[in-house]
Amino acid sequence: MRKKNILSLLVVGFLALVFNFSFAQENADQEAGEPIDEKEEVKEEIEEAVDLNLLDSHYFTLFSDEEANKHYGFALPVIIYDEGVKIFSAAEFDHGNKVVEKDGKHYVYHNSKIYSTDASGELIIGDNGFPTNKKPLDFSITRNVFVTIITAILIFFVFVSMAKTYKTQQLPKGIGRILEPMIVFVRDDIAKESIGPKYYKYVNFLLTIFFLILFLNLFGLVPFGANVTGSITVTVVLALLTFFVTQFAGNKNYWKHIFWFPDVHPIVKIILIPIEILGMLTKPFSLMIRLFANMTAGQVMGMSFIGFIFIFKTWVAGVGFFGFSIFIGVLGLVVAFLQAYIFTLLSALYIAAAVEEEHTSEEDTEELPIV
Amino acid sequence: MEKLINDFSFGLFFFQLGIVIILILLLKKYAWGPILSAIDNREEGIRKALEAAESARLEMENLKSDNEKLMQEAREERDQLLKEAREIKQNMIAEASTEAEEKANDMIAKAKAAIQAEKQTAMADIQAQMADLSIEIAEKMVKSELSNKDKQMQLVDNMLKEVELN
């Protein structure tokens, strides 16, 4: 039993590195006392770990040991606005075990959120399962913000240094050799292909969101990274940007199609107005949900397969699910590129629909995919 | 949905929006601008180089066809020259042969004429000599014949007969 545990531990240890799975080593010292209870316990722990890993966090945790309540990593700064800006280290919450008192106000840390409480630190759980306590405005540098900043800096330096190499020579060198075809792909096959001759106005935006999403997706796959694009807030931001760029790009023809659809009966025109406005909103909404769901699903799948190893705790399951996890990881890599491509392509198509000149033929922008 | 709404964090939204907008602006100025213009320049360069190669190829082809044309012309000229030379040669030969023939004919005619003249002179000479000889003989015979009258008459008769016959 012990030997098996050690083996599965080795496998999991490796996978934890591969899949950013900050799971604890709690099984190492456990004796196989009551099998059923233990299984239930492991299941719950896995669920919790998966849930927590999907959430944003105020800690940058590399490993954690729930049993001993030990977390290896570092706390990120908390910045909250609650009748005055309060800045302190998240370490003061001690992973939700302590109530923090600032300027006579008490705060408690629960499932990656900060809630206002009284001195006792009690949370009132509402009907929907979430605490009803008031939340102060939280401008903390959370793990997602932290990883995004690091990614943004990385992207900036990678591409600026790449841009510099063109000053001395015509061909890119180093990582530019991989990135240049991707830049040309975004420019030619996404921007130019969809938008047409006016592409150059939007190519900067498209290139930036493509590489930002791609890098963030890839950061979700590497050890100690965070699943930033699996966070609804991040996808809201990206979709919102596409929405605004599309609206600002919109020409007379685009607005005419929304508010006074040409070549149909006036009654139909009036009926079409709310539908068109809804369509305007569903496009970015679908972008938001697609990216969020894909990245979250990838993360959940990867972690669930690792979780299975702990539930079954056999040599066969260990190897089998290890293989599955690798498969999901490779799939995640493909999905990382695919989702960045889809997001950028659809953004380009929406912009294209907005800048399109009036057509003489009937076929128009309406076949745009929103799914 | 409630979970999603609960997960939405205003702070993260704020930071994310700021980071993305700043990143778009910074990358536009420091990365995409230079990179895209470099790629454009390179593509333009490649396009120009290809065009230049194509025009050079066409020029080469033109030159080649020009050369061929020149060669063809030269060949034709050579053939023409040869033909003319051959004609001249033939003409010359023909002219020479007629001239020679004429000359030969002329010479032959002259020779014939000379021979005729010589012959006539020779004939005249012979006739004269013959006449002389005949006269001499006749003298001698007459001298001997005239010695008797009968014989003289006979002779005259004979001569007269001869004359008549003549």
Side-chain angles (χ1 to χ4, degrees):
Chain A
M1 195 66 202
R2 206 182 171 82
K3 217 176 174 185
K4 277 180 196 164
N5 271 345
I6 288 166
L7 188 75
S8 59
L9 242 175
L10 279 173
V11 171
V12 170
F14 176 72
L15 282 174
L17 288 173
V18 178
F19 294 103
N20 170 36
F21 188 64
S22 51
F23 206 79
Q25 309 120 305
E26 73 267 270
N27 288 318
D29 302 301
Q30 269 181 13
E31 293 300 316
E34 304 117 86
I36 300 156
D37 279 3
E38 193 195 343
K39 238 178 196 177
E40 283 300 314
E41 204 177 286
V42 169
K43 256 186 199 167
E44 267 167 34
E45 269 175 30
I46 289 166
E47 244 170 66
E48 211 171 282
V50 169
D51 268 356
L52 271 177
N53 205 64
L54 286 175
L55 290 175
D56 201 359
S57 169
H58 290 71
Y59 299 90
F60 200 91
T61 311
L62 305 180
F63 299 107
S64 63
D65 186 347
E66 299 289 343
E67 197 97 329
N69 198 23
K70 269 190 183 161
H71 301 267
Y72 304 96
F74 51 91
L76 294 161
V78 173
I79 304 163
I80 49 174
Y81 181 83
D82 187 17
E83 290 169 24
V85 180
K86 300 179 177 69
I87 303 171
F88 53 95
S89 168
E92 288 184 36
F93 283 120
D94 193 21
H95 294 269
N97 296 326
K98 281 183 189 156
V99 181
V100 175
E101 193 257 317
K102 289 281 161 197
D103 305 331
K105 290 181 184 296
H106 295 85
Y107 303 104
V108 74
Y109 189 70
H110 175 72
N111 275 354
S112 305
K113 293 270 175 199
I114 296 167
Y115 295 94
S116 298
T117 55
D118 52 16
S120 66
E122 200 185 348
L123 283 170
I124 303 125
I125 307 294
D127 295 336
N128 56 9
F130 297 107
T132 52
N133 294 46
K134 203 171 142 274
K135 279 188 274 185
L137 276 179
D138 186 359
F139 288 105
S140 305
I141 309 291
T142 59
R143 192 174 57 179
N144 281 351
V145 175
F146 182 71
V147 170
T148 311
I149 290 171
I150 289 189
T151 311
I153 290 169
L154 182 79
I155 290 173
F156 182 74
F157 279 106
V158 163
F159 285 102
V160 168
S161 69
M162 184 186 164
K164 273 182 189 150
T165 63
Y166 285 107
K167 277 182 189 161
T168 50
Q169 60 188 58
Q170 284 222 309
L171 289 171
K173 60 182 181 189
I175 192 142
R177 287 186 194 168
I178 306 164
L179 295 173
E180 201 206 271
M182 288 160 87
I183 293 172
V184 173
F185 175 76
V186 172
R187 189 195 63 171
D188 290 348
D189 290 302
I190 296 178
K192 232 186 241 178
E193 182 92 10
S194 319
I195 304 173
K198 276 179 259 172
Y199 80 94
Y200 54 86
K201 257 174 148 176
Y202 309 102
V203 75
N204 293 306
F205 169 71
L206 293 173
L207 279 167
T208 309
I209 58 166
F210 177 80
F211 283 106
L212 185 67
I213 294 171
L214 177 64
F215 275 57
L216 287 177
N217 285 351
L218 292 176
F219 254 89
L221 295 173
V222 298
F224 315 131
N227 186 23
V228 180
T229 40
S231 154
I232 192 79
T233 317
V234 175
T235 61
V236 165
V237 170
L238 294 169
L240 213 59
L241 278 169
T242 295
F243 175 75
F244 280 118
V245 169
T246 310
Q247 304 322 311
F248 282 122
N251 57 14
K252 212 180 93 195
N253 190 34
Y254 172 71
W255 293 111
K256 204 172 101 187
H257 264 81
I258 289 173
F259 291 114
W260 206 241
F261 203 90
D263 306 327
V264 290
H265 192 270
I267 294 170
V268 182
K269 280 181 205 258
I270 289 161
I271 296 169
L272 276 176
I273 291 171
I275 296 173
E276 286 288 329
I277 290 171
L278 202 66
M280 201 167 96
L281 300 172
T282 51
K283 284 170 184 176
F285 191 78
S286 72
L287 280 182
M288 169 189 103
I289 294 294
R290 185 185 306 102
L291 183 60
F292 163 75
N294 272 286
M295 297 328 288
T296 306
Q299 201 80 1
V300 172
M301 288 273 278
M303 288 191 293
S304 302
F305 277 115
I306 301 166
F308 279 141
I309 301 170
F310 288 90
I311 291 171
F312 290 103
K313 273 191 179 170
T314 61
W315 195 85
V316 178
V319 173
F321 288 119
F322 172 78
F324 264 121
S325 305
I326 293 287
F327 173 70
I328 295 293
V330 173
L331 209 65
L333 199 66
V334 175
V335 169
F337 278 89
L338 193 69
Q339 288 306 318
Y341 167 65
I342 290 174
F343 196 101
T344 316
L345 179 70
L346 289 175
S347 296
L349 285 173
Y350 299 154
I351 292 168
V355 299
E356 199 172 28
E357 290 304 327
E358 199 157 356
H359 268 292
T360 41
S361 62
E362 277 91 68
E363 39 157 337
D364 224 313
T365 61
E366 298 319 300
E367 307 94 312
L368 273 180
I370 55 158
V371 187
Chain B
M1 200 65 202
E2 267 166 358
K3 189 170 154 47
L4 284 186
I5 291 164
N6 190 63
D7 280 350
F8 186 85
S9 150
F10 187 74
L12 180 58
F13 177 84
F14 171 79
F15 277 113
Q16 202 71 30
L17 198 66
I19 291 166
V20 177
I21 288 171
I22 288 167
L23 194 65
I24 289 171
L25 295 177
L26 281 179
L27 285 180
K28 183 181 176 176
K29 186 156 195 291
Y30 296 106
W32 307 136
I35 289 172
L36 288 177
S37 71
I39 292 172
D40 278 345
N41 285 342
R42 201 180 56 206
E43 278 171 358
E44 185 69 11
I46 290 168
R47 204 177 55 76
K48 273 188 184 155
L50 282 175
E51 268 174 15
E54 179 65 13
S55 69
R57 195 182 63 81
L58 280 177
E59 219 163 86
M60 273 295 277
E61 222 151 75
N62 278 347
L63 270 177
K64 226 178 176 180
S65 68
D66 274 4
N67 269 352
E68 223 138 81
K69 226 161 108 191
L70 276 175
M71 283 278 277
Q72 187 64 28
E73 271 172 19
R75 217 172 281 135
E76 271 169 19
E77 215 173 296
R78 188 197 64 183
D79 285 352
Q80 189 67 27
L81 279 173
L82 277 175
K83 208 173 138 196
E84 274 172 19
R86 210 173 287 129
E87 267 170 22
I88 288 168
K89 185 189 83 177
Q90 252 152 11
N91 281 351
M92 271 171 81
I93 287 169
E95 262 173 40
S97 68
T98 42
E99 212 171 292
E101 214 171 305
E102 270 170 23
K103 251 184 191 163
N105 286 347
D106 211 23
M107 272 166 82
I108 288 167
K110 270 181 186 167
K112 272 186 181 164
I115 288 166
Q116 198 67 28
E118 288 292 310
K119 199 175 138 194
Q120 267 170 354
T121 346
M123 286 292 270
D125 215 13
I126 288 167
Q127 272 176 344
Q129 274 185 21
M130 287 269 280
D132 278 353
L133 275 170
S134 318
I135 290 167
E136 250 172 74
I137 293 164
E139 244 176 28
K140 279 174 185 167
M141 280 180 68
V142 167
K143 271 174 189 170
S144 62
E145 292 285 321
L146 287 177
S147 48
N148 106 24
K149 202 152 175 185
D150 292 338
K151 274 191 185 180
Q152 273 182 2
M153 276 318 281
Q154 206 182 338
L155 182 70
V156 172
D157 284 345
N158 282 349
M159 278 177 94
L160 281 170
K161 274 177 194 168
E162 261 172 50
V163 170
E164 272 171 11
L165 279 168
N166 279 341

